[in-house]
Amino acid sequence: MLLLTFLIICSSPTVLGQQEESLFEDDVDLADFDLDIAPRRVPRQVKTILTKETKPHIQELSIKTTIISRYAFTAVYCAMLNRHSAAAEGVFSFQIPAGAYVSNFTMIIGGRVYQSEVRPKQKKVKQENGKARNKESGEASPEQDLEVFRMSASIPGRNRAVFLLTYEELLQRRLGRYEHVTSLRPLQLVSRLSLDVTIVDHSPITHLQVLPLRNGRSTNTGSSKTQVKKDPPVTSVIKQEKNVCKITFGPNIVQQAKITTNGLLGDFVIRYDVQREMGIGDIQVLNGHFVHYFAPKDLPAVPKNVVFVIDTSASMVGTKIRQTKDALFTILRDLRPGDHFNFISFSNKIKVWQPNRLVPVTPLNIRDAKKFIYMMVPTGGTNIDGGIQTGSDLLREYLSSPDAGPNSVSLIIFMTDGRPTVGEIKPTAILGNTRSAVQEKFCIFTIGMGNDVDYRLLDRMALENCGMMRRIPEDADASAMLKGFYDEIGTPLLSDIRINYTEDSVQYVTQHLFTNYFNGSEIVIAGKLTNDSVESLHVQVTASNNDKNIILETDIPLRNRQIETEKHVNAARVAMASGPKTPASGVTHGLGIALGSIAEDFVERVWGFLSVKDGLRSRLRSKTSKEREDHIKQATNLSLTYNFLTPLTNMVVEKPEVLADGTMAPTPTRPPSSGDAVSTVNELPSDVEDEEPQRDDKKPSSQNLSLGNKIGKVERRPDKKSITISKTSADGDPHFVVEFLMSKLTVCFNINGEPGHILRLVSDHKNSGVTVNGKLIGAPAPPGSHKKQRTYFSTITIVVDLPKRAYIEVTPKKVILDGRDRMVLPCHSTVSVDSGVLSVSIVGKSNVTVTVGGNVMFVILLHQYKNPASYQRDHLGFYIGNSKGLSHQCHGLLGQFLYEEVGLAELPAEADSEPSPVLKVKERSVPVVKKNRKIFSGTQNVDCWFARNNAAKLIDGQYEDYLMSHMFDTGDWPHGTNTA
């Protein structure tokens, strides 16, 4: 589910009537709204609604989803305009599917990019009253039904704000269909609204269906009784090929108004399935990871033992109990011969239909069960613990009796509309009692109905006992949703499923043991291969079906599967490239995370996504505190690796500096200090947590930001990682390489600095105004190395003083550009920004290109490790791409050689020795030896003449002459200092 919400004053929820379509007027200026329809074609009612808006208007809302083999990437672009002269607050509030993870959030205000960062969530500490709280912020937020990402921004008059959000989810198969839902509820008419969904699958796509816009909050997979239309929404375009489908929806503002004028369009629902063959399933391999989809069909149903535990407390009176009874009557008709069942109702009292047993499905038992259901009367409180204990004891005792079938599937279906009020009311105690009663002998499936339910309790109860939880909103068709949920679990086909892979070929596999497999669902496992040289993967599936044991085995040729998956990914890239163009503003959807580049790693991201889910489930089932901490640590590290906002992480966004009059403060000309940036945490309650979710100290899940100025020039660069640049560089430990083009020689040397040292790489402050400094970070030497430690560049700054001061600071994670405005750009995104004197282009996770005045170019390579060893550190490599704009007086460890010529000579041989090569540099003779260096991230080897001893005699002066006092020191070589 996808929902974008802004706090806007809206008109009444009327629909534009047919009689008003001819009422047009031209006396209202609609230029500010940037409509995609001629103003003269806009009815008077719509014009009136637009002109009366007092909050920022959504000029553009563009949602793009790419589903690759059931893994969905969604990017949301929203541009808001404050067309009034006074500042106004716009609120970006976005609801995402319960199982999805936000993977990026970006704001662009006044040409500045405010990029989010995912950090570990701080542990909570106990207060005197025993309640948990965050060490920094404070109280906990109340339980929320939906996961909401929210950010507010105070936008000065006649200005605009852009918000970008991305999230990822693995679609679940239910009742034989995958369902993707996009909630279109911007709470106002939108000038340009577009939705683009691309589905690419390894298997042929079947049963594609685009449903009518679904109103209400219900997201059930069953059909609503009141919904009779089957046609897709107006303006929908569906293009289907064998393995690729494209669906677009883009109603103009008049077409939106015909649906509703309050912006509550509803849910855009897509359902589909894929063609699958009998056997081991579909396995895809890419970049050292694999994903295995297993969904067998045409198997006989396994008999089930089911106990229905139904809430009949006083709050169930009226529609709830009536709809519950209707659903149970229908479910009774669907029970199969061979099934055994029973009913329990609970309120203050516990009532059991057939004490001490489960009964078979016979016409007489079905008739008596209907009588019991019919006689259920809501009254009293809610004894959740008592209902669960009674149902568990009943089912457990039946399973130990000789009447129970050996290969049957056993489960409890538990339904309530409230919180515990009678008996044991503490959630932790109820969960403990439930685990003790279940004893891992059967599964519990829970259903919550309405708004007054402890959904966290029901979710944990299901997760800890191999089941799942379903929510039924207050205004939903509970009868249809209850029946739909039962249909999902009512036909078990397999039990005790175990999927094994070659032990020495797989390093880590997500959950591969499953209690049950239900008809119309799907089992998904992802794994990490030990190395790329493995030729095949042996897969074995064992399971039980009724009275049979099933064993499936095969060997998967990994190289062939890798080629097939690469073709599949290329098809996805082509499909995405042929989709809608960049939004009108020129800022791309892919600013946060480029969908095209993510497609290349989708198998790994599926593995990361499922691994985080596994860790969260395992932490709930942990039996010791150490085991729990291990699972938390693993899930947290994976969340950080893949930039997922999960229950274990927070998302931090830099807070702009705001003046008293509400405008954005001008960019400081001095270098930033540690006190400049103010970060605030914005959280998304996700999945199920042990404790209450946190909120910041002002408003839940939000931060007020005062922002100003107009949008700057931000463009996307081509997503290519191969670059052609000079060999003159400082990379690695750090290894320096100098290419003397006129002399046709290449020289190399090392600088053995200390961690924290700042090295002057290029110094041309008085002429071109360019200075480049690099800061060293330390790391232990790898095993067997002759060195005690290594050093790498952790930060590189490029300062320009002409015609005016500007700088760029680069780290492996982010780029800070301070030119006309100050921007913070993430290194995992692909984006280009021109700030006048300085321009920067980032190819995500690959390199940063900095251009000064059009005739000086530096390229900084990003060296990042997904799973670093103890001696590895994220670091940078510095390359001079174009030096034409630097003067002949340029200096620095690299700059001093740009216009020099060198020669190679040999010293006469001494006794018992060969002639020694020497390099002639500035009338100095430098002993050198032949070496081979790897540059450009190890993709190219270069033969060079190596100068020892920290480049003694090769460089002017001593190594210590090139140490700077701070990163923004622009002093001239060797002793001048300028900190302006």
Short mmCIF file of all heavy atoms in Angstrom, two decimals, residues 812-838:
data_model
loop_
_atom_site.label_atom_id
_atom_site.label_comp_id
_atom_site.label_asym_id
_atom_site.label_seq_id
_atom_site.Cartn_x
_atom_site.Cartn_y
_atom_site.Cartn_z
N PRO A 812 33.88 8.52 1.51
CA PRO A 812 33.29 7.36 0.82
C PRO A 812 31.76 7.32 0.89
O PRO A 812 31.14 6.60 0.12
CB PRO A 812 33.90 6.16 1.56
CG PRO A 812 35.20 6.68 2.10
CD PRO A 812 34.90 8.09 2.50
N LYS A 813 31.15 8.08 1.80
CA LYS A 813 29.70 8.04 1.97
C LYS A 813 28.98 9.23 1.37
O LYS A 813 27.84 9.10 0.93
CB LYS A 813 29.35 7.95 3.47
CG LYS A 813 29.87 6.69 4.16
CD LYS A 813 29.21 5.45 3.61
CE LYS A 813 29.67 4.21 4.40
NZ LYS A 813 29.10 2.97 3.82
N LYS A 814 29.60 10.40 1.37
CA LYS A 814 28.87 11.58 0.93
C LYS A 814 29.81 12.61 0.33
O LYS A 814 31.02 12.58 0.55
CB LYS A 814 28.07 12.20 2.09
CG LYS A 814 28.94 12.73 3.21
CD LYS A 814 28.08 13.27 4.36
CE LYS A 814 28.94 13.77 5.51
NZ LYS A 814 28.13 14.27 6.63
N VAL A 815 29.20 13.54 -0.41
CA VAL A 815 29.91 14.67 -1.01
C VAL A 815 29.24 15.94 -0.52
O VAL A 815 28.02 16.09 -0.65
CB VAL A 815 29.88 14.61 -2.55
CG1 VAL A 815 30.53 15.84 -3.15
CG2 VAL A 815 30.56 13.34 -3.05
N ILE A 816 30.02 16.86 0.04
CA ILE A 816 29.50 18.16 0.44
C ILE A 816 29.99 19.18 -0.57
O ILE A 816 31.19 19.35 -0.76
CB ILE A 816 29.97 18.54 1.86
CG1 ILE A 816 29.45 17.52 2.88
CG2 ILE A 816 29.49 19.94 2.23
CD1 ILE A 816 29.97 17.76 4.29
N LEU A 817 29.06 19.85 -1.24
CA LEU A 817 29.37 20.87 -2.22
C LEU A 817 28.90 22.21 -1.67
O LEU A 817 27.72 22.40 -1.40
CB LEU A 817 28.66 20.56 -3.55
CG LEU A 817 28.67 21.67 -4.62
CD1 LEU A 817 30.09 22.02 -5.02
CD2 LEU A 817 27.86 21.23 -5.83
N ASP A 818 29.84 23.14 -1.52
CA ASP A 818 29.51 24.47 -1.02
C ASP A 818 29.92 25.48 -2.07
O ASP A 818 31.08 25.89 -2.14
CB ASP A 818 30.24 24.74 0.31
CG ASP A 818 29.55 25.84 1.10
OD1 ASP A 818 29.09 26.80 0.47
OD2 ASP A 818 29.49 25.74 2.34
N GLY A 819 28.99 25.82 -2.96
CA GLY A 819 29.24 26.80 -4.00
C GLY A 819 28.26 27.94 -3.85
O GLY A 819 28.30 28.70 -2.90
N ARG A 820 27.27 28.00 -4.78
CA ARG A 820 26.20 28.99 -4.60
C ARG A 820 25.36 28.66 -3.38
O ARG A 820 24.89 29.51 -2.66
CB ARG A 820 25.33 29.01 -5.86
CG ARG A 820 25.94 29.76 -7.02
CD ARG A 820 24.90 30.03 -8.09
NE ARG A 820 24.40 28.79 -8.69
CZ ARG A 820 24.67 28.42 -9.93
NH1 ARG A 820 25.43 29.18 -10.70
NH2 ARG A 820 24.17 27.32 -10.43
N ASP A 821 25.12 27.35 -3.17
CA ASP A 821 24.41 26.85 -2.00
C ASP A 821 25.17 25.63 -1.49
O ASP A 821 26.04 25.09 -2.15
CB ASP A 821 22.97 26.45 -2.37
CG ASP A 821 22.14 27.64 -2.78
OD1 ASP A 821 21.90 28.50 -1.92
OD2 ASP A 821 21.75 27.71 -3.96
N ARG A 822 24.80 25.21 -0.30
CA ARG A 822 25.44 24.04 0.28
C ARG A 822 24.56 22.82 0.06
O ARG A 822 23.39 22.82 0.39
CB ARG A 822 25.66 24.24 1.78
CG ARG A 822 26.50 23.14 2.43
CD ARG A 822 26.90 23.53 3.85
NE ARG A 822 27.83 22.59 4.43
CZ ARG A 822 27.47 21.54 5.17
NH1 ARG A 822 26.19 21.33 5.42
NH2 ARG A 822 28.37 20.73 5.66
N MET A 823 25.14 21.78 -0.54
CA MET A 823 24.42 20.54 -0.80
C MET A 823 25.17 19.39 -0.17
O MET A 823 26.39 19.38 -0.12
CB MET A 823 24.30 20.28 -2.30
CG MET A 823 23.64 21.37 -3.10
SD MET A 823 23.48 20.85 -4.83
CE MET A 823 22.95 22.40 -5.56
N VAL A 824 24.42 18.39 0.25
CA VAL A 824 24.99 17.13 0.71
C VAL A 824 24.45 16.03 -0.18
O VAL A 824 23.25 15.78 -0.22
CB VAL A 824 24.64 16.86 2.19
CG1 VAL A 824 25.28 15.55 2.64
CG2 VAL A 824 25.10 18.00 3.07
N LEU A 825 25.34 15.38 -0.93
CA LEU A 825 24.96 14.37 -1.90
C LEU A 825 25.44 13.00 -1.44
O LEU A 825 26.59 12.87 -1.00
CB LEU A 825 25.56 14.68 -3.28
CG LEU A 825 25.28 16.08 -3.84
CD1 LEU A 825 26.16 16.34 -5.05
CD2 LEU A 825 23.82 16.20 -4.21
N PRO A 826 24.62 11.97 -1.54
CA PRO A 826 25.05 10.63 -1.14
C PRO A 826 25.91 9.99 -2.22
O PRO A 826 25.68 10.18 -3.41
CB PRO A 826 23.73 9.88 -0.98
CG PRO A 826 22.82 10.54 -1.96
CD PRO A 826 23.22 12.00 -1.99
N CYS A 827 26.88 9.21 -1.81
CA CYS A 827 27.76 8.55 -2.79
C CYS A 827 27.13 7.31 -3.39
O CYS A 827 27.67 6.75 -4.34
CB CYS A 827 29.10 8.20 -2.14
SG CYS A 827 30.17 9.64 -1.88
N HIS A 828 25.99 6.85 -2.87
CA HIS A 828 25.35 5.69 -3.48
C HIS A 828 24.34 6.10 -4.55
O HIS A 828 23.70 5.26 -5.16
CB HIS A 828 24.68 4.81 -2.43
CG HIS A 828 23.59 5.48 -1.65
ND1 HIS A 828 22.39 5.85 -2.20
CD2 HIS A 828 23.54 5.87 -0.36
CE1 HIS A 828 21.65 6.42 -1.29
NE2 HIS A 828 22.32 6.45 -0.16
N SER A 829 24.18 7.40 -4.79
CA SER A 829 23.25 7.85 -5.80
C SER A 829 24.01 8.27 -7.06
O SER A 829 25.22 8.46 -7.05
CB SER A 829 22.43 9.04 -5.28
OG SER A 829 23.27 10.16 -5.07
N THR A 830 23.28 8.38 -8.17
CA THR A 830 23.85 8.86 -9.43
C THR A 830 23.22 10.21 -9.73
O THR A 830 22.03 10.29 -10.02
CB THR A 830 23.56 7.86 -10.56
OG1 THR A 830 24.20 6.62 -10.25
CG2 THR A 830 24.07 8.39 -11.88
N VAL A 831 24.04 11.28 -9.66
CA VAL A 831 23.49 12.63 -9.77
C VAL A 831 24.58 13.58 -10.21
O VAL A 831 25.77 13.34 -9.98
CB VAL A 831 22.88 13.07 -8.43
CG1 VAL A 831 23.94 13.16 -7.36
CG2 VAL A 831 22.12 14.39 -8.54
N SER A 832 24.18 14.67 -10.89
CA SER A 832 25.11 15.69 -11.32
C SER A 832 24.59 17.05 -10.88
O SER A 832 23.40 17.33 -11.04
CB SER A 832 25.27 15.66 -12.84
OG SER A 832 26.11 16.70 -13.28
N VAL A 833 25.46 17.89 -10.32
CA VAL A 833 25.07 19.22 -9.84
C VAL A 833 26.09 20.24 -10.31
O VAL A 833 27.31 20.03 -10.18
CB VAL A 833 24.98 19.24 -8.29
CG1 VAL A 833 24.60 20.64 -7.82
CG2 VAL A 833 23.97 18.24 -7.79
N ASP A 834 25.61 21.34 -10.86
CA ASP A 834 26.46 22.43 -11.31
C ASP A 834 26.20 23.63 -10.42
O ASP A 834 25.08 24.14 -10.36
CB ASP A 834 26.14 22.77 -12.77
CG ASP A 834 27.08 23.83 -13.34
OD1 ASP A 834 27.93 24.33 -12.57
OD2 ASP A 834 26.95 24.15 -14.52
N SER A 835 27.23 24.08 -9.69
CA SER A 835 27.05 25.22 -8.79
C SER A 835 27.79 26.45 -9.26
O SER A 835 28.09 27.35 -8.48
CB SER A 835 27.53 24.84 -7.38
OG SER A 835 28.93 24.72 -7.35
N GLY A 836 28.13 26.50 -10.54
CA GLY A 836 28.84 27.66 -11.06
C GLY A 836 30.30 27.33 -11.30
O GLY A 836 30.66 26.70 -12.28
N VAL A 837 31.17 27.78 -10.40
CA VAL A 837 32.61 27.51 -10.52
C VAL A 837 32.88 26.02 -10.41
O VAL A 837 33.71 25.46 -11.14
CB VAL A 837 33.39 28.29 -9.45
CG1 VAL A 837 34.88 27.97 -9.54
CG2 VAL A 837 33.16 29.77 -9.60
N LEU A 838 32.20 25.37 -9.50
CA LEU A 838 32.41 23.95 -9.26
C LEU A 838 31.22 23.15 -9.76
O LEU A 838 30.07 23.58 -9.64
CB LEU A 838 32.56 23.69 -7.75
CG LEU A 838 33.92 24.01 -7.11
CD1 LEU A 838 33.81 23.91 -5.60
CD2 LEU A 838 34.98 23.05 -7.62
#
